[in-house]
């Protein structure tokens, strides 16, 4: 019964994870579209005058107002529809999280062998409800429709929902697909059975596809931080950040180079630069571990290396023994020559004494 219920739980969890990931992807797409639609670039001729590229009128030339002329936040029907769609997706996401954690709480009661029935009261007092509440408070931030576009920076927290994409990782792992065989082998050999959670799956994926995952994580994090930096820095007085400049700044920050040619102005931009630098250090440490694992020889290669090292050690030992015997013989030969010379003085030549 427990095995059948666990199988049913796995199927339902995979379906809900797919719906959850679809919700997150659509919400992030709405965020990107919203950040593009709520920005009016303005007239280029006025921008050039404001940037003093055409210094015909000194009174018109005002570098501080260049960004205000170059672009401004707008609120229109498109942004209202995008915010409304994002709000609907957020409400569905919160309901999905609560339902998913309630189902996990019910299955945990069955697996523990407890005879109590799952109830709402027990769920409200469990750790599953606390985890669901924490995720709802963390992932439920966004700008509601009808609010001024000046507060659209709140919607940048929608990027935190990308963490939920990890829930879909077990579906692409051989370990999770063949977990029944692994459990049977572990029980036959009296090994501890591993917990097939997202952390274990990510460790396995790093073991198998470490370099590909590193490239994907670096590229995705660079684009996410660049988008957040671009949205946070545009419209700031004296700021001339475009998306390409933000990509350059984030890449420099993540590699901890820091040329200093571009500096964020807003507090959100500075905070994003700090987070990007810390995340870049973590990625660098993971890259070192992945590269060292790639350079580590396999088991059969280690046997060949050990054989070569042992044969080399044996050859060195033989050479040292031969040198020792040669030195000993040479020493004895010299001692015999001295003895022959001393006997030759008494009578006969040294060669005759040696031959004798």
């Amino acid at each position: 019964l427990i095995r059948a219920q666990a199988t049913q739980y796995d199927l339902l969890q995979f379906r809900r994870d797919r719906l959850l990931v679809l919700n997150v992807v659509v919400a992030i797409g709405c965020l990107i579209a919203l950040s593009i639609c709520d920005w009016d670039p303005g007239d280029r001729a006025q921008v050039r005058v404001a940037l003093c590229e055409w210094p015909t009128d000194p009174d018109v030339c005002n570098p501080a107002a260049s960004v205000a002329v170059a672009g401004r936040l707008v609120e229109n029907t498109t942004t209202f529809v995008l915010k409304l769609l994002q709000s609907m997706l957020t409400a569905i996401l919160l309901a999905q999280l609560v339902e998913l954690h309630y189902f996990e709480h019910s299955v945990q009661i069955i697996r523990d062998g407890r005879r109590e029935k799952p109830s709402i009261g027990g769920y409200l007092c469990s750790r599953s409800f606390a985890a669901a509440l924490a995720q709802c408070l963390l992932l439920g931030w966004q700008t509601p429709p009808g609010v001024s576009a000046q507060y659209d920076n709140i919607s940048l927290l929608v990027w935190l929902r990308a963490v939920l994409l990890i829930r879909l990782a077990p579906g692409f792992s051989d370990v999770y697909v063949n977990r029944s065989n692994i459990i049977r082998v572990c029980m036959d050999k009296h090994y501890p059975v591993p917990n097939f959670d997202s952390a274990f799956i990510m460790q396995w994926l790093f073991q198998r596809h470490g370099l590909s995952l590193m490239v994907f994580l670096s590229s995705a994090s660079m684009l996410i931080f660049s988008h957040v930096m671009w949205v946070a820095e545009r419209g700031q007085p004296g700021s001339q950040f475009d998306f390409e400049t933000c990509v350059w700044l984030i890449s420099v920050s993540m590699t901890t180079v820091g040329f200093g040619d571009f500096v964020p102005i807003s507090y959100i931009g500075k905070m994003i630069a700090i987070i990007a630098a810390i995340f870049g250090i973590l990625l660098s440490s993971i890259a070192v571990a992945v590269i060292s694992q790639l350079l580590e020889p396999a088991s059969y290669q280690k046997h060949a290396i050990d054989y070569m090292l042992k044969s080399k050690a044996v050859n060195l030992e033989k050479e040292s023994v031969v040198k020792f015997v040669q030195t000993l013989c040479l020493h004895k030969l010299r001692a015999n020559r001295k003895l022959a010379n001393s006997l030759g003085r008494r009578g006969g030549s040294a060669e005759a004494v040696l031959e004798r």
Side-chain angles (χ1 to χ4, degrees):
L1 178 62
I2 294 176
R3 183 176 299 176
Q5 290 173 344
T7 305
Q8 182 184 7
Y9 165 72
D10 291 336
L11 293 175
L12 291 176
Q13 185 184 21
F14 187 66
R15 293 175 184 174
R16 292 176 181 179
D17 287 345
R18 285 190 295 179
L19 294 175
L20 190 67
V21 169
L22 179 62
N23 189 342
V24 171
V25 170
V26 176
I28 291 176
C30 291
L31 172 65
I32 297 174
L34 180 64
S35 63
I36 297 174
C37 294
D38 66 349
W39 186 251
D40 185 12
D43 188 23
R44 292 186 179 180
Q46 296 180 0
V47 173
R48 291 183 179 180
V49 172
L51 292 176
C52 301
E53 293 183 3
W54 294 349
T56 56
D57 191 358
D59 297 331
V60 179
C61 180
N62 186 9
S66 60
V67 178
V69 177
R72 59 185 181 273
L73 294 170
V74 294
E75 184 75 19
N76 50 29
T77 306
T78 305
T79 58
F80 181 83
V81 172
L82 287 173
K83 290 180 183 179
L84 181 62
L85 179 60
Q86 205 172 40
S87 300
M88 295 173 59
L89 291 172
T90 301
I92 296 173
L93 174 69
L94 300 182
Q96 285 177 337
L97 289 175
V98 173
E99 183 184 8
L100 182 65
H101 285 279
Y102 178 74
F103 193 74
E104 289 179 352
H105 172 68
S106 304
V107 172
Q108 189 64 35
I109 291 177
I110 297 174
R111 288 181 174 178
D112 293 342
R114 290 180 285 179
R115 297 183 178 180
E116 59 178 315
K117 294 183 178 180
S119 61
I120 298 178
Y123 171 65
L124 294 177
C125 299
S126 63
R127 294 182 179 180
S128 299
F129 176 73
L133 184 62
Q135 289 186 6
C136 291
L137 293 176
L138 185 63
L139 304 177
W141 289 92
Q142 71 149 77
T143 306
V147 179
S148 175
Q150 297 179 357
Y151 301 98
D152 281 347
N153 290 338
I154 300 176
S155 295
L156 294 175
L157 294 174
V158 175
W159 279 115
L160 293 176
R161 303 180 189 181
V163 182
L164 295 175
L165 299 177
I166 303 177
R167 297 185 66 92
L168 207 61
F172 300 95
S173 175
D174 298 336
V175 176
Y176 190 79
V177 174
N178 299 322
R179 61 188 182 279
S180 58
N181 298 329
I182 297 175
I183 293 174
R184 185 178 68 254
V185 171
C186 291
M187 295 180 66
D188 292 340
K189 296 186 177 182
H190 303 286
Y191 291 158
V193 179
N195 187 13
F196 295 92
D197 53 358
S198 299
F200 177 69
I201 300 302
M202 291 302 295
Q203 291 177 359
W204 167 253
L205 290 177
F206 268 108
Q207 290 284 336
R208 291 291 304 272
H209 312 285
L211 192 59
S212 302
L213 277 178
M214 280 299 306
V215 174
F216 172 74
L217 287 177
S218 301
S219 305
S221 59
M222 188 178 299
L223 292 177
I224 291 173
F225 287 137
S226 300
H227 175 263
V228 176
M229 181 72 73
W230 173 57
V231 175
E233 287 298 316
R234 64 183 185 182
Q236 297 294 328
S239 176
Q240 301 177 10
F241 276 81
D242 53 1
F243 189 74
E244 292 80 7
T245 305
C246 292
V247 171
W248 167 254
L249 176 61
I250 291 299
S251 61
V252 169
S253 300
M254 290 183 66
T255 53
T256 64
V257 177
F259 287 109
D261 48 355
F262 295 100
V263 179
I265 298 176
S266 64
Y267 292 104
I268 298 178
K270 294 178 181 178
M271 183 176 64
I272 292 301
I274 294 173
I275 295 175
I278 296 174
F279 193 75
I281 293 173
L282 294 177
L283 285 180
S284 300
S285 60
I286 296 175
V288 171
V290 170
I291 293 174
S292 62
Q293 180 184 358
L294 290 176
L295 296 178
E296 184 180 0
S299 59
Y300 63 93
Q301 295 174 344
K302 288 182 179 179
H303 290 306
I305 293 173
D306 292 339
Y307 174 76
M308 294 300 297
L309 292 176
K310 289 180 179 178
S311 62
K312 187 176 180 180
V314 170
N315 293 331
L316 290 175
E317 186 177 359
K318 289 180 180 179
E319 290 178 0
S320 61
V321 171
V322 169
K323 288 181 180 179
F324 175 74
V325 173
Q326 289 177 352
T327 305
L328 184 60
C329 293
L330 183 61
H331 178 71
K332 289 184 176 181
L333 182 60
R334 289 177 181 176
N336 291 332
R337 282 186 178 276
K338 290 181 180 179
L339 179 60
N341 290 330
S342 62
L343 293 176
R345 293 191 189 97
R346 297 179 183 177
S349 61
E351 287 78 4
V353 175
L354 284 177
E355 289 178 359
R356 196 180 309 147

